[in-house]
Amino acid sequence: MDEIREDAAGKGKIGTTRRGIGPAYEDKVGRRSIRVMDLRSEKNLDQRLEVVLAHHNAIRKGLGKKIYVKEQLKKDLLKIAPEILKFSQPVWLKIDQFKKQKKRILFEGAQGVLLDVDHGTYPFVTSSNTVASNAATGTGCGINSINYVLGITKAYTTRVGEGPFPTELTDDVGELLGTRGKEFGTVTSRKRRCGWFDGVLVRQTIKISGIDGIALTKLDVLDELDEIKMCVEYELNGKKIDYLPAAVEDQLKIKPVYKIYPGWKTTTNGIKDMNSLPENAKKYIYAVENGARRLYTVIERVFEELSFIAPDKSGTSIEVNSEFVENNIGDLSKSADLSRYVL
């Protein structure tokens, strides 16, 4: 169904993964979904199939596509049911048990906040909420369970699929970022669009998702550039604005206002301590940090084993590794019982 509608949209396509995510969410809010627990009862499954097929087969028939037979679908679902049901249990209850045991809980998001169905570049978005607070909604753990929110952003900007992209580069620099950064979509391997770092979007995302700290990745992708631009505000109809407007027609019209930084023209690959970075690289990182308006930044080296750099409480830079972050980020968030959501 996802593929059929995307092809029928022509120039209006939004660039879906064609994996059925949208139709699945539509079935959910339309109260016609088949849920995991429905596989426990053949009678209940039979009723749920009647409901969902009444909807989808009508659409498929209207588009001249093959319709599905209930009995065959039921047979296929009952065949795989035992393998799926053995993993089924109340998620909220399991998480509550972990909380009582003082275990650390990590919620990891797979998509950026600008793909959020409510807060993103609608309609060029995914079908769900991707903001940090949805970790509580989706799992039933309670909003007070999330004690620290870590946002992940690259040292430049990328996007998969269609939609507004204010800082997009369609020139040789954009190609270089894509090549050096190996920018291909995780699900579909589609080539990602690349552009300069967008400080406006990052600031907006921090506010919307309640982000406490930033992890800056892929700094070394910028190593070969003579100069690096950073978007600090937008211009819309001759006026300066510091946010992404909600209307897609305005999103497509905005012009980025850049601040230019000199490149460092040397490799940062493998550097694991802030003081060893080229001066211009440090200046760029500080500019990202100041633009994002966060108190500290965690830096990941993309082509090396995971290592992190973060300031200590006195504000000086210290070299730390992933074990340090795991053991101490709870202290940074003033929480002994760590729950994190990765943007």
Side-chain angles (χ1 to χ4, degrees), residues 14 36 47 83 88 106 137 167 170 196 214 221 257-258 271:
I14 62 174
V36 170
Q47 294 173 339
E83 289 301 312
S88 175
L106 171 66
T137 303
T167 65
T170 57
W196 296 119
I214 293 291
V221 173
V257 178
Y258 290 114
I271 296 177

Side-chain angles (χ1 to χ4, degrees), residues 155-158 165 167-183 191-197 218 220-230 258 260-261 263 265 284:
Y156 51 98
T157 306
T158 61
F165 190 166
T167 65
E168 183 174 13
L169 293 168
T170 57
D171 56 10
D172 291 342
V173 177
E175 285 294 321
L176 182 142
L177 295 177
T179 300
R180 284 182 56 82
K182 300 181 180 178
E183 297 295 351
K191 186 177 180 181
R192 291 192 179 110
R193 299 152 65 191
C194 299
W196 296 119
F197 184 88
K218 296 195 173 184
D220 53 352
V221 173
L222 307 178
D223 285 351
E224 296 181 1
L225 298 177
D226 293 315
E227 64 177 28
I228 302 164
K229 295 181 180 181
M230 182 185 299
Y258 290 114
I260 301 175
Y261 295 88
K265 300 291 291 182
Y284 181 73

Side-chain angles (χ1 to χ4, degrees), residues 17 58 77 126 163 177 196 222 285:
T17 61
L77 288 171
T126 190
L177 295 177
W196 296 119
L222 307 178
I285 291 168

Side-chain angles (χ1 to χ4, degrees), residues 91-312:
V91 175
W92 66 268
L93 184 58
K94 196 69 177 179
I95 290 178
D96 188 61
Q97 292 171 357
F98 289 151
K99 287 169 63 178
K100 289 178 180 177
Q101 296 167 9
K102 301 297 182 183
K103 291 190 175 182
R104 291 178 174 177
I105 304 168
L106 171 66
F107 299 111
E108 182 176 4
Q111 294 169 305
V113 168
L114 271 299
L115 290 178
D116 186 278
V117 70
D118 290 315
H119 302 287
T121 53
Y122 189 92
F124 304 98
V125 292
T126 190
S127 303
S128 62
N129 291 109
T130 60
V131 291
S133 56
N134 199 50
T137 303
T139 63
C141 70
I143 193 66
N144 62 347
S145 298
I146 301 176
N147 302 321
Y148 184 86
V149 180
L150 177 64
I152 310 296
T153 184
K154 297 171 187 173
Y156 51 98
T157 306
T158 61
R159 175 168 198 153
V160 176
E162 307 297 323
F165 190 166
T167 65
E168 183 174 13
L169 293 168
T170 57
D171 56 10
D172 291 342
V173 177
E175 285 294 321
L176 182 142
L177 295 177
T179 300
R180 284 182 56 82
K182 300 181 180 178
E183 297 295 351
F184 297 94
T186 303
V187 176
T188 61
S189 297
R190 290 177 294 174
K191 186 177 180 181
R192 291 192 179 110
R193 299 152 65 191
C194 299
W196 296 119
F197 184 88
D198 194 329
V200 180
L201 291 186
V202 171
R203 286 196 301 271
Q204 185 165 323
T205 296
I206 286 170
K207 294 172 183 177
I208 290 172
S209 218
I211 291 171
D212 297 298
I214 293 291
L216 183 67
T217 70
K218 296 195 173 184
L219 180 70
D220 53 352
V221 173
L222 307 178
D223 285 351
E224 296 181 1
L225 298 177
D226 293 315
E227 64 177 28
I228 302 164
K229 295 181 180 181
M230 182 185 299
C231 177
V232 294
E233 59 184 351
Y234 297 142
E235 184 178 298
L236 176 62
N237 299 326
K239 295 181 179 180
K240 299 290 180 63
I241 59 174
D242 62 354
Y243 62 92
L244 183 72
V248 67
E249 61 179 350
D250 289 336
Q251 293 173 0
L252 293 169
K253 288 192 296 185
I254 55 177
K255 298 178 181 179
V257 178
Y258 290 114
K259 188 169 183 179
I260 301 175
Y261 295 88
W264 41 92
K265 300 291 291 182
T266 185
T267 182
T268 57
N269 186 7
I271 296 177
K272 299 179 182 179
D273 125 60
M274 192 75 165
N275 292 325
S276 299
L277 286 170
E279 285 302 313
N280 285 345
K282 287 191 280 188
K283 290 177 181 178
Y284 181 73
I285 291 168
Y286 294 142
V288 169
E289 188 175 14
N290 291 334
R293 295 171 190 167
R294 291 291 90 183
L295 296 179
Y296 54 88
T297 304
V298 178
I299 317 269
E300 177 196 350
R301 304 289 169 237
V302 65
F303 296 125
E304 293 291 313
E305 61 182 354
L306 279 181
S307 60
F308 295 84
I309 299 171
D312 61 17

Side-chain angles (χ1 to χ4, degrees), residues 102-105 144-149 212 296 313 325-340:
K102 301 297 182 183
K103 291 190 175 182
R104 291 178 174 177
I105 304 168
N144 62 347
S145 298
I146 301 176
N147 302 321
Y148 184 86
V149 180
D212 297 298
Y296 54 88
K313 293 179 181 178
V325 173
E326 177 68 19
N327 292 335
N328 292 279
I329 202 166
D331 180 55
L332 289 172
S333 64
K334 298 180 181 179
S335 169
D337 178 21
L338 172 65
S339 298
R340 296 181 296 170

